[in-house]
Every structure is written in C-alpha cells, then in structure tokens.
Amino acid sequence: ISHLHLMSLPTYIRSQFETSAYGKHYRSGSGSTISTPLAWFLRSSPTLWLTILLFPLGKNYSNPIILYSHFFHYFNGTLIYPLKLYFSSMKTTNGFPLDPALKAIIFNILNAYIQSRWVSHYANYDDDKWFWLRFGGGVVVFATGMMVNVWADGVLVGLKKQGGGYKIPRGGLFEYVSCPNYLGIEWLMTWSFAGLAFFVFTCANLVPRA
C-alpha cells in the first residue's frame, strides 16, 4: 500500500510536465505501437486474472460480495470497452504506444495484488458492525461513478466511430468537466487504506491529464 502512496507525488509532479502520448495526446514519434483495443485489454487484464488467482486463497473467500464491484468494473474495462473500440474505431486510430501500455500493465499487476489481498486476506468483516452500512453507501458511490464512466466512454467511442480525427465531446457532464470518464471515481467505496491508496494514485495520474 505504501508503494502506491510513494508513487503518487512523483507521478503528479511528472504529469505537470509530460503527458502520456495516447488518445488525444498521441503524437508521431511516440515509439512502437500496438492495436488500441488490444492495448486496453492487456493493460487491464491483470485486474481480472490476478484477482481470480488470489481471492480464493484468502480467509474471506466465503464472503465475496465486496469483490464483485471491483471485478465488474474491470470486466467492463478489460473486455467490453476494448470490444467497443474494436468494432467502432480499430481502423481509424493511430495505435496505442507500447511504453504507456507496459507501464499500465505493471501498475495494474501491483494494484490488483494490493486490492485483492486486502479484500481476501486482511479485511475483517465479521468484527465490523458498521460494515454493511458503510458498504451500502460505498455501493452508491461506486454505482454512480460506474454509470458516469460507462456513459462518458460511450460518448467518446461514438465520436471515434465517426472518424475524422480528434473531436471535442459535447453534452451532459462534458459541459462541466473535460473528462467525465475520469471524474467517476469509484474506489473510495472500500473504506480501506488499500482503496485510499488507489484513489490517491488515480487522482495523481488522471487529474492532471483530465
């Protein structure tokens, strides 16, 4: 967990001067590229396969409900979203630079390990009388963030499908913030130091980009 906190400040500082060259920030000379749908699949996939491997080994294996939201989000990010990209924009994008894709894979391996280990091995639900109350509130936060994320991704995929280069999305939350798909923060719902570490790093990484 401390690794994520330690990574957050230098990541935030670096983000003030350098932007990962994918999406609208893509620029020629960004190095080797791979298919954009494949990149999104590979970079998010550790959150699925590592979670599946680790969770059954923990003491909370018989109470998997809190894991479902984590898994549901990344099922969308690993499989559904790349498929949408594949069928809508595979032939209209410049490709995804290999360097940020590899960095994302490494981060997601670390983060999936931290989140899965916390939920499966270290969280003590039986002695927490406020757990279900806090979890219910967390589910509301998660569901709201998930809906914002899926909606915003749908708008962006629709623009990609039109072709013709980068376009500025309009309507809904796009009238108030640049990137609603980054605004839908979901990870505070765990009420844990592991979830907080993920939240802090996500802000350090994505808020400057947004």
Side-chain angles (χ1 to χ4, degrees), residues 115-134:
Q115 305 304 323
S116 298
R117 285 277 289 178
W118 173 267
V119 172
S120 62
H121 291 70
Y122 298 115
N124 188 0
Y125 305 127
D126 294 334
D127 296 333
D128 185 355
K129 64 180 181 179
W130 298 106
F131 168 73
W132 289 110
L133 180 62
R134 292 188 286 108

Side-chain angles (χ1 to χ4, degrees), residues 12-29:
Y12 178 79
I13 293 174
R14 181 180 179 182
S15 297
Q16 305 302 308
F17 304 97
E18 180 181 342
T19 302
S20 294
Y22 67 89
K24 71 176 183 179
H25 297 290
Y26 176 85
R27 53 187 178 271
S28 60

